[in-house]
Every structure is written in structure tokens, then in C-alpha cells.
Amino acid sequence: MKAVYLDYASLDQQDLDFQVLHGVFDELTLYPATSVAELLPRVQDVDVIITNKVMVNAETIQQCPQLKLILISATGTNNVDLAAAKARNIVVCNCQAYGTSAVAQHTLMLMLNLATSFLPYQQKLQQGEWQKATQFCLLDAPIVELSGKTLGIVGYGELGKAVAKLAEAFGMKVMIGSLPNRPGDASRVPFAELLPQVDFLSLHCPLTEDTRNLISHAELEAMKSSAFLINCARGGIIDEAALAQALRKGKIAGAATDVLTIEPPKEGNILLDPGIPNLIITPHNAWGSVDARQRIVDQMVENVKAFQAGQPIRQVN
């Protein structure tokens, strides 16, 4: 089988083992990135396309007569026309649950940074304030403990459950919120009832029309002024303008997000404006541990072997 990986640099920082992937193909060509103009010449005569974010649309699929398998080196499938692939009997497989530990760890890291005012204290240290202090420590930024606090989780899939397990190890009480327009059950608290009860709110739900701007002005007003908001899900779930305003006005105590509505934010973003207090932004790298990224490579190998055996796994079309 002849394969091409269109954008391996979005996964590999020269720290992954690709030998296992080479081993399942007769020929594998790796490209760090692929532009629209470069796409068709690179895929026209291959059996397998591997893509992370490069778009593989219906027109491209139609012009690849030998194509049998598309591997997505991520979970999201929006960059591949699944219907067009299915019409051609081309199997599409993704990777799943590879970053659970990494994202859960990152979520707790953000919570701990907010709870301990880690960044403000680092800034004070760099500005020489500790060196000039009249006593042995600095205590002028608030520090709270996770133990005994209530964590609300919205999106209780594999990631949400992993975060809950870590939070419980810190002695937190965990409440699971129900998503809008989803059937509820006794174990889940209606979303509107959840908001005023939590000390931390962590989002792990997909971005859908039901969850777009799930957190906006009214929801932020409903939260405690001492509460913290964490988003390691998708940009667009939080109304970014509303969050910026809430932080500036002290409506909530702080927030942390690993995602923005448009990534990378080449045209800027309101949350990147200077002077927004108690806001931590990380560059969508919660998932990116070397362990998680190697897991993606290993899952792609599993997907190829299963396809070759006539029993595809992680098939999404």
C-alpha cells in the first residue's frame, strides 16, 4: 500500500517514533505541511491519505482512483467529506481517547494555577516585590484550596470522567451538569441550577449549535463572584466578549482556556487584549504530551492493520 501523510508536523516535533507507521505500508511519504495547490499532486496515486487538518473534500476524493483508506490523525472529522468517501467505498478512520490523561492533567494544572494565583505571584517575584517585602512571604493575591470546593463538569464523557477522578483525589465535590436539549437523569444537575453552586466550572463538551455560547453574560452573572471557569473543550462554547467583560468587572474570580474561537488567532482575539485580570490562556496544547501524540501514531498503525485484515476499527463513515 502506498500512503502519504499530508501534515505530519502538526503532530510530530521530532520526538515521535514513526518507524511503526512506516512498517505497515510499502511506501509512506511524509510532508510537514500541504497547501491547497500541493494537495492533488501528492494524493492522486496513493492508496492511503493521512491527514490531521488538511481538507480532503469530495472533489479531491473523486480524483484519487486508487484511494482506499483515509486516516485522520485526530478525533475530529470535519476536514474529510465522509459522505463522498462512503460513496466511493473509502474507509475513514480517526483516533480516539488518545489525549485523555494529558487534557485531564492540563485541566487540573489550570485549576491549580487559578486557585493559587500562580501567575500573579510569578509576576511579583520577577518585579522584585518579594525581595523588597517586609516579611518572609507574599500573601497579597488570594490563595484557595481545591479541597472542599465544588467542581461542576459539563460534558461527562471520557475526559469529564477523568477530570472528575483527579478532582476527587484533591478532595473536591463533583457535580455533573446536564447539557441543553439533552435528556437528563437523576445524576445530572440542570445547567441553570449548576451555575450558582460551583466554585469551579470545567467544560468538556463538544461544540454544537446547542453549546455555542453556552457561557455568556447571563451564565457568568449566575456564577459566584468567587468562582473560576475552565475551558479545555472548544472555542465558541464561551462567549469571549462576555468573559472579557465579566473578568474586568470582577463578576467571576478568574478563568483559564486552552481554546479560542479562531485558531491560531492571527487576527487577534478579545481575550488576548492586555489588562484582562485573572485570565490564563494556553495555545490549544492540552492534548499535546509526547505520550498522547505517540498514542495517535500507534492508533493509526492499529487502524491500518485492522483495515488490511478486513475488519476496520475506529471507522467514522
Side-chain angles (χ1 to χ4, degrees):
M1 296 177 74
K2 184 177 180 180
V4 60
Y5 196 158
L6 297 173
D7 52 351
Y8 81 89
S10 61
L11 181 69
D12 183 33
Q13 297 298 308
Q14 299 184 335
D15 53 0
L16 301 182
D17 177 10
F18 273 94
Q19 291 305 310
V20 287
L21 190 60
H22 280 281
V24 294
F25 297 115
D26 299 308
E27 179 184 338
L28 171 62
T29 303
L30 303 176
Y31 294 103
T34 297
S35 69
V36 173
E38 293 167 332
L39 177 59
L40 192 57
R42 291 179 176 180
V43 301
Q44 254 182 326
D45 64 345
V46 302
D47 304 290
V48 182
I49 293 173
I50 305 174
T51 176
N52 184 346
K53 295 294 183 286
V54 175
M55 299 294 296
V56 181
N57 60 23
E59 182 180 357
T60 301
I61 289 169
Q62 290 302 321
Q63 296 181 75
C64 298
Q66 295 177 213
L67 188 59
K68 304 175 182 67
L69 175 66
I70 299 173
L71 298 176
I72 303 173
S73 57
T75 301
T77 62
N78 59 300
N79 61 321
V80 175
D81 191 318
L82 300 180
K86 187 173 184 179
R88 283 271 318 280
N89 293 316
I90 297 166
V91 173
V92 182
C93 300
N94 70 349
C95 298
Q96 301 169 10
Y98 51 83
T100 301
S101 295
V103 176
Q105 170 181 290
H106 196 91
T107 301
L108 264 292
M109 179 274 293
L110 294 175
M111 291 171 59
L112 287 164
N113 271 275
L114 289 170
T116 59
S117 291
F118 180 81
L119 289 185
Y121 279 116
Q122 286 297 297
Q123 291 165 358
K124 290 175 184 294
L125 183 63
Q126 292 165 5
Q127 292 163 0
E129 293 193 29
W130 191 22
Q131 296 88 318
K132 297 180 290 186
T134 58
Q135 58 177 0
F136 73 96
C137 63
L138 294 180
L139 290 173
D140 49 340
I143 301 170
V144 299
E145 297 178 359
L146 298 190
S147 180
K149 300 299 188 296
T150 298
L151 169 64
I153 295 178
V154 178
Y156 198 56
E158 184 159 350
L159 273 172
K161 290 173 182 174
V163 170
K165 185 176 180 180
L166 293 179
E168 287 168 347
F170 276 87
M172 301 186 80
K173 174 187 175 183
V174 175
M175 298 177 69
I176 311 305
S178 61
L179 282 166
N181 299 322
R182 293 277 188 91
D185 59 53
S187 66
R188 305 200 178 199
V189 180
F191 182 64
E193 296 179 20
L194 179 76
L195 294 174
Q197 298 186 59
V198 299
D199 301 297
F200 291 81
L201 180 64
S202 191
L203 306 176
H204 300 283
C205 51
L207 176 62
T208 67
E209 286 311 305
D210 288 334
T211 61
R212 189 176 301 279
N213 290 333
L214 178 69
I215 305 293
S216 192
H217 295 282
E219 290 74 24
L220 291 163
E221 288 281 354
M223 295 174 68
K224 298 177 182 178
S225 61
S226 59
F228 298 97
L229 174 64
I230 299 94
N231 184 13
C232 283
R234 286 290 181 267
I237 294 175
I238 296 175
D239 178 337
E240 292 166 339
L243 177 59
Q245 183 183 85
L247 290 170
R248 285 192 170 106
K249 292 185 174 182
K251 297 295 184 182
I252 61 173
T257 182
D258 186 53
V259 289
L260 295 176
T261 303
I262 298 176
E263 300 169 341
K266 293 181 179 179
E267 304 300 322
N269 183 290
I270 193 168
L271 293 181
L272 297 175
D273 290 351
I276 300 177
N278 297 326
L279 173 63
I280 300 172
I281 299 176
T282 53
H284 203 146
N285 62 351
W287 67 279
S289 70
V290 64
D291 315 81
R293 290 182 286 113
Q294 186 64 50
R295 214 169 282 129
I296 290 174
V297 177
D298 296 341
Q299 285 192 15
M300 288 194 294
V301 171
E302 294 170 358
N303 290 347
V304 174
K305 289 181 176 179
F307 173 80
Q308 292 169 335
Q311 297 179 322
I313 57 174
R314 304 186 186 97
Q315 185 173 352
V316 294
N317 68 331

